[in-house]
Each structure stands twice: as structure tokens, then as C-alpha cells.
Amino acid sequence: MLKTKLKISTAILSIATMCAAGSPSMAQSSDATEANDGAIADIIVTATRREESLNKVPLAIQALSGDSLSDLNVTKFDKLIEYLPNVRSASRGPGASSIYIRGLSTDTPGLQIAGTAGAQPTVALYVNDAPASLVGRNLDLYTVDLQRVEVLAGPQGTLFGASAMGGAVRYITNKPDLSEFHAGFNASYAFTKSGDDSVAGDAFINIPIIKDKLALRAVFYADQQGGYIDNVPGTFQMPFDGHVGQAGRLPEGNPLLVMRAIQSCQASATTVVANCDGSLYTPPTRQTINNDRFVEKNYNDATYRGGRIALTYKVNDDWSIDLMHLRQQLDTDGVFDYEPAVGDLQVTKFDKNTLEDKVDLSTLTINGRLGFLNMIYTGSYLHHRATQYADYAGYSNIGLYMPFYECDRGVYYTAAYNGNIGNTCYTPNKSYKVRNETKRFTQEFRVTTPADKPLRGTFGLFYDDNKLYDNTDWSYLQQGAGFIYPRRPDPSVNAHDTSVRPVNVGFFNDVQRKDKQFAAYGEASFDIIPEKLTITGGLRYYNEKAYINGSSATSFCGNSRGIYNPATGTYSPSATPPQYYCVSANLNQLYAGISPAKYTGVLKKANLTYRFGEGSLLYATFSDGFRPGGFNRRPCRIGSAICPTAADFARLGRYVPDKVQNYELGGKFALFDRRMQLNLAAYMIDWKNIQITLFDQNISNQTFTTNLVDARIKGIEGDLTWRATPELTFNSAFSFNDSKLKKYRKNTTVLLPLGSPLALSPKFQFNARLNWERELSSGLRPFVQVAFHHVGKSISDIVDNVSIRYQSFNPTLGYAASIPVTYNGVTVSPGDIIKPLPVSQKLGSYNTVGASLGVSKDEWRIEIFGDNITDERPELYKSANDGEIRTTTSRPRTFGLRVSYKI
């Protein structure tokens, strides 16, 4: 019923936005220049911070015009990357993806810790000239009424700064037209195989308020995407299988329960039990939960709602002012990765899974001319809020400390410590709630000299103040295990959120990250031979400061449970119940005098370009880039061999910037009187001191980031556009990427062997599309478009194994050391892995096919489209984070009808 109401609401909004489009006038403008005599139309881009024809920029860049995006029915990022062969995404669904270009990817932490522990992105995201990158997520903007999307491959450090080490993705919006009235709308309805239907609508209007002086442009949209993954009935309990008496089998299940069973084969500090089969261990009683309340067919809905308003004021012939405000809300229900072990497009989830993702972006741009100099100032303010609830029952599979939170003390501790207080693991209901808030304020001022001079340049100043507030609560505690106290953060940590947490919250992060950056940059070009040979050099000085404040808090401390009554097996409050959580990490104290971390440096670029013929060129480029460093909450356990003191904790708590150096040769070739355009680039990238995000419970029970390895990437990429006839156009793009881990920076047993590829870096990707369109004597323009997309094999992560290792300490018997024991004929020694967990998952190759056909006339266009026509299950991303394999895949076979009107 709720889904029906949402679809009806979306349909009403779609109709409303159509009505808002107004009365007929002229068609929307495009950034593509008209092609004559069958030549390919140019697209004007601003990748070099000045307007140039796409095919004259000595840079590996792909651009899709607004008309192409509309023709391809691209409205979201997961659809866009099908036409960008060297771009990949670690996707967990809408609003939960990370973007990678040219294979600069290693790992993607779970969203529950991405805000606090995630590294900065390797690809910079821009909306016009405003940076819009987020830590741990991408800004999943709905791509309507865009002038174009630009994808700049390779390091773009000199012009785009930090986190552009893999490249940059730029959404360029349509600006208000000062002279003409425009309006239009799109409406679509789609049917998904074995899924719910989807309905979408968007509309724009352009109004010259004062002709040639002041204009307003607005766009509104709503898109209700129906679900296609089923939450099917299931049960769950704290996992444990002792395999009693089964020769050659070790226990399986929760790491702590497995460890206790193995250690039961140790009779004393120096002796073992002969021929132990595990029968000496008494497994706990494990209560079971079901998901009856959450069972639902097609429960992974997504709704995009939002719009943009832009205002342009032309002060005079030399100066203009642009204002823009963008607002979007993305709401999802359910999960977008399924469990193959459960069934095709099926999961068993035991709590609600929702995301509310809101973004507001405001920009002010002033363009002007002073003498022969062109000047531009851009100020932006980004406010992003993401609130995510997620089922976390699966963490009982791998969480070493889960028996403490949800079992009796007799399960976690032993008679050597606290007496045998119960032996029950209670209902493993667990969830987490993430509240991430980003506030980003940027200012940029740049000057460009005339483009027609032999010596020309672009020079600028940039300031960025980026704050991220992460409040994440993990609901682990079970009242049956004695956790009956609601508490608030300890006053000593100066928490951002001081509220009393619910009784079941056992751990939370209250962390604030801040990155401040100042940069001065410039690029200059000199024509050694006019219109033939040009040399370009660029520098960017950056001064970056990374801050961390806040705390992590836990219930893992004394006086956290009620008073146990052995007669009834229940707990009652103590006379002086605890009021505050225990402080797991007070970051204000731990990093006092260290935060902020300061990083300065100079990024460089050099380019030599030779132009020949009509619109062809060759170029050679060196460029480099970097990603900021940062801090960890808890990089190790104080008192361990890795970090014996608080000073070691602070030292290991920092990770430094990682950097890339790119060597590139490329060419752009206009062939057959510009009816064919071929662009090629070959590159080699050295990536040093790579930041790796790990969850290794042998070192720390909290996810941390460290610099661990170097890698090298060699590749070739290219794209081809061929206008075979005035009616028939062929587009294709490919990439070949060969990436390898080259050198460990530290001793490690968790990464794949040297020579292994980087994550999400398939060796070969390819796409092709064929478009036919012809105008008949009646004025009708029938059209057909077919698209093919191939992605080769890859892996999800370069982390091989961070499984729990058998301890050199036996808490079951209280011995200060454990010795090799034999369980069911299997010898287990301290340091052995007791449960292999393949973090790095293989992602299979796949092919997808899409098509559309329709007709247009004058202002109208109607089409039937199909996506994933062969109904493939591409493995876009695969995760084993919680001890269960989950796969993100594409929407199943979908057919729809789309109607457009532009005036």
C-alpha cells in the first residue's frame, strides 16, 4: 500500500512539473556546435578552465552532451558509467557508491564506518566549478537539464587539487538563457521483470525576466524506482557448529565461540587433551530471531526528488553574476545487494534498512573582464546529510566481541575470572544508525589571459573548509544479558551529540573531521610553433591541514551490566547505576599537539602538444596528484606488542597522503573530413604509499587506515565516433588496464601477493552504441538506438585475509600462553587463522544490452526503451564484510515508455 501511495505521489508530481513547463516557445540550447556536411558536432568543454573544443584539448577526456544524456535515458550515476569504460563504482546502491577512474582503487569500507574511518576519494566530483566530493559516499545527483558531463581521466592535480589523483567528474548544468523563453518535460513509466514498476518526471523552465539582462532557469524532478530484491523469510542465531567427532573439521561460527572450543583441548598451561573432539566444550544456548516483520517482495525502492534554480544577471558587456541553488532528497528502503546463498535477488534481513540522503548546494559565480584579463570568482556551500538505518545481525558471524554484548558473562568470560554466570546467547538483533553531516565551504578566484596569444595562462587561488560530523550508534546490547542502563556520553569528551542513548546502544562514534586547504596554482602555454607545437607547464602549491576531534564510546567496561540473580537468571539495576558510557578513545586527548596534521607540497604538470592536419594532435603529458592524510580512532590496542604505549597509539594513528605520478602519450585524430573522430591515450601511473582501510581484529577492534603498499598501472584507452551517414552514427569506447601491487611499505600478511591487480580494475572494458535517425517528408524523425556494454573480470578488494587468529593467550583457562592443540585431528597453533574470510572477492565478467526506438516531431518525442535486455546479473560489487557474501547487481530486464516535450 505504501509503495502504491509513493507511486501515485510521484505521478502527481510528474504531472505538476509538466504543467509548470509553461507554453510553447523555442528548443533548449545545447553546448554542441552544429555539424556541417555530415561532420561530427563539436562539444565545448572547460576541462582546462577555459572553453575549448573537446577534440582540441590535449587531455584524455570523455564528454556526454545534455542531448546525449537524454537520448541514452541517463539520469543516475550507475547508468552513466556504462558509457565510461575506464570508470568503475563500488556500489551498495543509490547514494552509497565510490567512484574510481583508471583502476585507482584498493578497498571500500562499509558505510557504517566510512564517515569516521574512510579515506578521502581518489576522484574529484564537481558541479560546475564547485567541489562536491564526499568521504565514503558519492553525491548521487539526478542528471537532468545538464549541458554536459565531463570525465577527465588521470591526475588533474594542478587545476583541480586534492583527491583528483585518479581524475575528475564534472556535472555542468544548463545556465539561464537571457534572450529566449524555454520549457520542457520528460515523463516515463517502466516495467521491471519480477519487480515493481517505476515512474519518473522532470520539467524545466527558462524565463528572461529582463530580456538580455536577467533570466531565471528552474528544473524539478521526481523519480520513484521500484524494487526488485525480495526479503524472504529466515531465521538467525549466534553461529556455531562444533563438528563434534567429525574428523578433520575445526569448529565454525563466531570467532570467539570457535576459539573457546579449540582452547578446551588445552588441559593446562603445558599439556593438551589427547584426541580431543571438542566434546569438552559446552556450547551456549543460542536464541533465534526471525524476520517475519520485515518480509517483503521487491522491497528495495528508491525515490529521487529535487530541483535547481539558477539566476543570471548581466551587469554589462564585461561582467555577469550567476546564482544557483540545488536541492535533492534521496530516500531508499531495503538493500541493493543480494545474497546468492539465499537465492537470486533475495536476502534475509532482520531489521529495517533505510537511507535518507539530503543535499543543498549553493553557488555564486562572478565573471568579468578587466583589460585583457578574464576573471572568475566561484563561492560554494555544500550541506549534505545522510541518515541510514541498517540491519546488522550478520556481524555475529565475525564480531570477536559480540558474545560480550549479547551473551551471558559465562559465555564470554570464564570461571577463572567471573564465575559461571549463565551460558546463553540471547536474540542477536543488531542494527546501526549512521548520521553523517558534511558542511563544505569553498572559494576560488582565477584569471585567464587571452587564448589567442602565443603565451597564455590560467592562474588561481583556492580555499576549502570541509567539515564532516559522524555520529553512528551500534545497537548491540541485549537486555537478557544484563544490559539494562540507558546512558549518555562521558562529559570529558565534549560530545557533539550529548543525548541519552537507547538501552541497546553498545558502541558509538561521535567524531568530527575537518580538512582545510589553501592552494595557489597556475598553468601556462607557449606556442613554440604557432598552431603547431605548444608546451604547457603547471604548478599547484597546496597547504593542507587535517583535524580530528571527538570520541568513541563503549559498554565494554566494568559496571556495565545489572546485578545478576542466579535463582531467576535475570538482572536488576544496581543502587548506583552507571550514567555514562566508557571512553574507548578520547581523540581530543590522544591527538593533542598532533592534530591538525599539516601537509604541504607542489603538484606538477608538463605537456607537449603537436597539432597537424584539420583537428588532429599528438601529446605527451606528465602529471601528478595526491590525496590528503588523516587520523584513526583506534589503530591498535594500547598495551599490545604493536602499540605498547599511548605515544605509539598516536604515532600509528596518523596516515599520510598517498601520491601518483602519471606518464601519458595520446592522440586525437579527425578523419574522413571530420566524419570520424578517434582518440587514444596510453599511460603509466605510479601510485605510492597507498592508503588502505582495514578491519583487522588481530590489531584493533575498530576499522583503521594505514599506508601499506605501492602499485603501478599501465593502460590504453580510447573512444571512436563515426558518422557513417547523415542518419547513422557509431560510438564506441574501450580501456585496457594492467595494474599490479609492486612494493609493501610495511610488513603485512593481509594483502594479496605482490603482482596482484588493484581492486575494481578489470583488464578490459568496452562499450558501443549505434544510433540511426532520419527525417521523413512528413516531418517525423524515427530513430533506433542499440547499446552494448562489456566489463571484464576483476576483484573487489586487495585485502586478502583479516581473519581472527588463534590467540597466544587462553582466557578460557586463565593461562598466560596457549600451546598447539589438536581438535578433531587438526593441529591448531597460536597465530593460525581459525576461520578463513575471503575479503577479496572475484567479480565475473559480464555483458549488458540496452536499446530504444521511437519517433520525434517538432517539439515532441516518444520512445520505448529497454535496459539489461538479456537480464544479466552483473557483479558490480561483492562484499563479505559481515561473513556473508552480498552482491550488488543491475536492475533486471526493464522496458519502459518515455515522452518528452521541449519548446
Side-chain angles (χ1 to χ4, degrees):
M1 187 64 180
L2 177 60
K3 290 183 180 181
T4 303
K5 290 181 178 179
L6 281 172
K7 287 187 177 180
I8 293 172
S9 299
T10 306
I12 291 171
L13 181 55
S14 301
I15 294 169
T17 53
M18 295 174 199
C19 295
S23 57
S25 183
M26 292 184 64
Q28 168 185 346
S29 63
S30 171
D31 61 317
T33 60
E34 292 296 325
N36 296 316
D37 302 324
I40 297 168
D42 281 337
I43 296 178
I44 304 302
V45 298
T46 52
T48 59
R49 296 301 183 98
R50 65 169 77 233
E51 292 188 349
E52 292 184 84
S53 169
L54 169 66
N55 297 320
K56 295 181 180 179
V57 178
L59 173 70
I61 174 175
Q62 285 189 287
L64 289 172
S65 69
D67 290 340
S68 294
L69 293 169
S70 180
D71 291 346
L72 296 170
N73 197 26
V74 172
T75 55
K76 294 174 288 298
F77 186 78
D78 60 351
K79 182 71 174 176
L80 174 65
I81 62 174
E82 293 184 9
Y83 302 98
L84 306 172
N86 222 344
V87 182
R88 300 302 304 145
S89 172
S91 176
R92 289 176 173 85
S97 301
S98 300
I99 306 169
Y100 306 107
I101 297 177
R102 285 187 175 175
L104 268 77
S105 168
T106 58
D107 60 323
T108 301
L111 292 171
Q112 70 273 22
I113 49 83
T116 288
Q120 296 276 0
T122 61
V123 173
L125 179 67
Y126 275 72
V127 178
N128 298 322
D129 281 334
S133 303
L134 301 172
V135 174
R137 299 175 185 267
N138 72 314
L139 199 60
D140 194 352
L141 293 178
Y142 200 72
T143 55
V144 294
D145 197 42
L146 295 185
Q147 192 177 84
R148 64 186 180 276
V149 173
E150 298 177 6
V151 179
L152 288 59
Q156 307 296 323
T158 53
L159 290 181
F160 295 96
S163 291
M165 59 195 299
V169 176
R170 305 180 68 217
Y171 293 132
I172 310 299
T173 64
N174 279 318
K175 309 301 187 295
D177 185 338
L178 294 170
S179 59
E180 301 289 347
F181 176 90
H182 307 298
F185 71 81
N186 300 288
S188 66
Y189 201 96
F191 307 85
T192 296
K193 178 186 176 184
S194 301
D196 283 343
D197 301 342
S198 302
V199 59
D202 65 82
F204 78 93
I205 186 168
N206 186 96
I207 304 172
I209 300 171
I210 303 174
K211 188 174 176 61
D212 298 328
K213 194 77 173 178
L214 179 66
L216 178 145
R217 190 181 188 96
V219 58
F220 307 98
Y221 54 85
D223 187 342
Q224 167 65 40
Q225 295 287 306
Y228 51 87
I229 292 178
D230 301 336
N231 192 16
V232 299
T235 60
F236 184 75
Q237 62 181 178
M238 175 76 72
F240 179 73
D241 186 348
H243 301 302
V244 176
Q246 298 182 34
R249 297 289 299 275
L250 288 176
E252 294 178 356
N254 178 272
L256 182 96
L257 302 186
V258 171
M259 206 174 297
R260 294 294 187 265
I262 293 173
Q263 290 167 345
S264 70
C265 292
Q266 184 177 350
S268 69
T270 57
T271 62
V272 297
V273 177
N275 302 315
C276 181
D277 63 2
S279 60
L280 299 175
Y281 174 67
T282 303
T285 300
R286 294 167 291 141
Q287 295 184 354
T288 300
I289 59 173
N290 63 57
N291 64 344
D292 292 350
R293 288 193 302 128
F294 302 99
V295 169
E296 184 181 353
K297 185 175 177 61
N298 304 326
Y299 92 129
N300 60 322
D301 305 321
T303 302
Y304 293 79
R305 291 172 291 173
R308 294 191 308 270
I309 296 178
L311 191 71
T312 294
Y313 175 57
K314 186 177 181 181
V315 180
N316 53 42
D317 290 342
D318 291 332
W319 291 89
S320 65
I321 301 173
D322 291 284
L323 291 168
M324 187 197 73
H325 181 74
L326 173 156
R327 170 171 286 189
Q328 176 177 286
Q329 179 167 332
L330 165 63
D331 297 301
T332 70
D333 186 19
V335 297
F336 291 78
D337 47 3
Y338 73 100
E339 301 170 48
V342 176
D344 182 37
L345 299 178
Q346 292 182 337
V347 295
T348 51
K349 292 299 174 186
F350 299 89
D351 211 324
K352 68 176 182 178
N353 290 270
T354 62
L355 169 65
E356 182 183 85
D357 185 288
K358 298 179 179 179
V359 62
D360 287 271
L361 174 63
S362 301
T363 62
L364 165 66
T365 303
I366 302 174
N367 284 279
R369 177 185 293 273
L370 192 61
F372 67 93
L373 298 176
N374 292 314
M375 300 182 176
I376 184 169
Y377 162 82
T378 298
S380 71
Y381 178 70
L382 172 71
H383 188 199
H384 177 263
R385 293 86 72 203
T387 301
Q388 185 160 19
Y389 293 86
D391 169 46
Y392 209 38
Y395 191 54
S396 287
N397 293 321
I398 64 169
L400 178 62
Y401 299 106
M402 279 303 98
F404 172 83
Y405 289 115
E406 60 190 51
C407 304
D408 285 325
R409 299 181 78 174
V411 176
Y412 189 82
Y413 294 109
T414 64
Y417 295 115
N418 300 293
N420 188 19
I421 307 176
N423 197 39
T424 298
C425 289
Y426 297 91
T427 54
N429 303 92
K430 284 182 294 299
S431 63
Y432 62 80
K433 177 184 178 181
V434 178
R435 290 166 291 155
N436 287 159
E437 182 176 17
T438 298
K439 297 180 179 180
R440 188 171 190 182
F441 175 59
T442 67
Q443 296 186 79
E444 183 172 15
F445 174 75
R446 68 178 181 271
V447 175
T448 59
T449 63
D452 58 352
K453 302 298 182 182
L455 178 62
R456 54 199 174 274
T458 299
F459 309 95
L461 300 173
F462 177 75
Y463 172 78
D464 187 0
D465 186 351
N466 189 3
K467 300 183 181 72
L468 170 62
Y469 302 87
D470 178 50
N471 286 94
T472 302
D473 297 340
W474 280 266
S475 295
Y476 293 154
L477 303 183
Q478 301 301 319
Q479 295 186 44
F483 295 100
I484 58 177
Y485 303 123
R487 279 164 288 181
R488 67 175 69 247
D490 191 295
S492 67
V493 301
N494 299 317
H496 180 248
D497 179 2
T498 60
S499 66
V500 177
R501 301 301 199 272
V503 171
N504 57 347
V505 173
F507 184 88
F508 65 82
N509 285 325
D510 188 299
V511 174
Q512 302 90 53
R513 296 173 59 171
K514 182 167 70 172
D515 289 277
K516 276 191 173 183
Q517 179 193 160
F518 169 77
Y521 63 88
E523 279 195 6
S525 298
F526 176 68
D527 293 332
I528 301 173
I529 303 174
E531 300 183 3
K532 286 288 186 182
L533 187 63
T534 303
I535 186 170
T536 299
L539 296 173
R540 186 185 188 99
Y541 167 79
Y542 63 87
N543 186 317
E544 187 100 17
K545 295 180 181 178
Y547 301 75
I548 194 166
N549 298 99
S551 64
S552 294
T554 180
S555 293
F556 207 105
C557 58
N559 198 29
S560 60
R561 305 187 194 222
I563 299 172
Y564 181 69
N565 184 338
T568 62
T570 60
Y571 294 82
S572 58
S574 67
T576 56
Q579 300 180 41
Y580 306 116
Y581 282 88
C582 308
V583 179
S584 174
N586 186 334
L587 305 178
N588 304 322
Q589 293 179 357
L590 285 168
Y591 296 121
I594 300 176
S595 175
K598 300 177 182 179
Y599 307 107
T600 61
V602 176
L603 303 176
K604 299 173 288 295
K605 177 182 177 180
N607 173 273
L608 186 66
T609 301
Y610 176 70
R611 304 180 188 276
F612 61 96
E614 181 62 32
S616 298
L617 60 86
L618 296 171
Y619 69 88
T621 297
F622 167 82
S623 58
D624 57 10
F626 86 109
R627 175 170 51 166
F631 292 93
N632 290 301
R633 301 163 298 166
R634 190 178 178 86
C636 51
R637 292 189 294 269
I638 297 178
S640 67
I642 294 175
C643 101
T645 68
D648 295 297
F649 183 104
R651 174 178 55 83
L652 295 169
R654 289 175 57 175
Y655 53 94
V656 301
D658 50 357
K659 300 181 179 181
V660 296
Q661 292 183 325
N662 174 59
Y663 307 86
E664 185 170 337
L665 295 173
K668 298 189 174 186
F669 308 96
L671 308 171
F672 307 119
D673 295 326
R674 293 185 57 240
R675 286 192 295 271
M676 178 181 289
Q677 180 68 41
L678 174 64
N679 303 324
L680 297 170
Y683 53 86
M684 182 178 75
I685 301 174
D686 286 324
W687 190 5
K688 297 181 179 179
N689 235 9
I690 300 174
Q691 298 172 8
I692 308 291
T693 302
L694 296 171
F695 178 55
D696 188 346
Q697 296 178 85
N698 304 290
I699 298 174
S700 173
N701 66 320
Q702 297 179 23
T703 301
F704 61 94
T705 299
T706 186
N707 303 93
L708 209 55
V709 71
D710 292 351
R712 173 169 288 177
I713 305 168
K714 297 178 181 179
I716 301 173
E717 62 190 16
D719 60 86
L720 172 72
T721 300
W722 177 32
R723 194 170 183 185
T725 70
E727 297 86 14
L728 187 65
T729 302
F730 175 76
N731 297 88
S732 180
F734 77 94
S735 69
F736 177 84
N737 224 42
D738 184 24
S739 61
K740 287 184 173 64
L741 303 182
K742 297 293 291 184
K743 174 185 175 183
Y744 294 141
R745 286 281 174 159
K746 299 174 184 176
N747 292 331
T748 176
T749 58
V750 301
L751 297 187
L752 293 171
L754 295 179
S756 299
L758 289 167
L760 297 167
S761 182
K763 282 206 169 182
F764 184 67
Q765 296 184 79
F766 170 78
N767 68 62
R769 54 191 168 98
L770 195 64
N771 185 79
W772 176 87
E773 183 173 8
R774 182 175 184 178
E775 184 170 2
L776 305 179
S777 58
S778 62
L780 290 174
R781 298 179 65 92
F783 61 88
V784 178
Q785 183 167 252
V786 179
F788 173 80
H789 181 215
H790 169 79
V791 176
K793 297 177 181 179
S794 63
I795 58 174
S796 66
D797 208 306
I798 67 168
V799 177
D800 182 22
N801 203 320
V802 289
S803 302
I804 298 298
R805 296 177 180 273
Y806 181 50
Q807 295 175 348
S808 59
F809 171 74
N810 189 331
T812 301
L813 299 176
Y815 296 138
S818 64
I819 59 177
V821 300
T822 301
Y823 183 104
N824 278 345
V826 180
T827 299
V828 182
S829 302
D832 286 351
I833 295 173
I834 63 171
K835 185 187 177 191
L837 183 66
V839 177
S840 182
Q841 295 290 315
K842 294 180 179 179
L843 306 179
S845 62
Y846 64 89
N847 304 305
T848 59
V849 177
S852 63
L853 60 92
V855 64
S856 64
K857 184 178 182 181
D858 301 326
E859 296 87 4
W860 289 94
R861 176 185 174 103
I862 184 169
E863 66 181 297
I864 298 172
F865 63 87
D867 290 327
N868 193 10
I869 293 174
T870 55
D871 198 32
E872 297 293 317
R873 294 289 179 272
E875 294 179 334
L876 304 179
Y877 188 67
K878 190 183 289 185
S879 167
N881 284 349
D882 299 329
E884 56 190 17
I885 305 299
R886 299 204 299 269
T887 302
T888 306
T889 191
S890 296
R891 177 176 290 275
R893 180 188 297 121
T894 297
F895 289 104
L897 176 69
R898 186 166 179 254
V899 178
S900 302
Y901 181 62
K902 292 183 181 180
I903 51 178

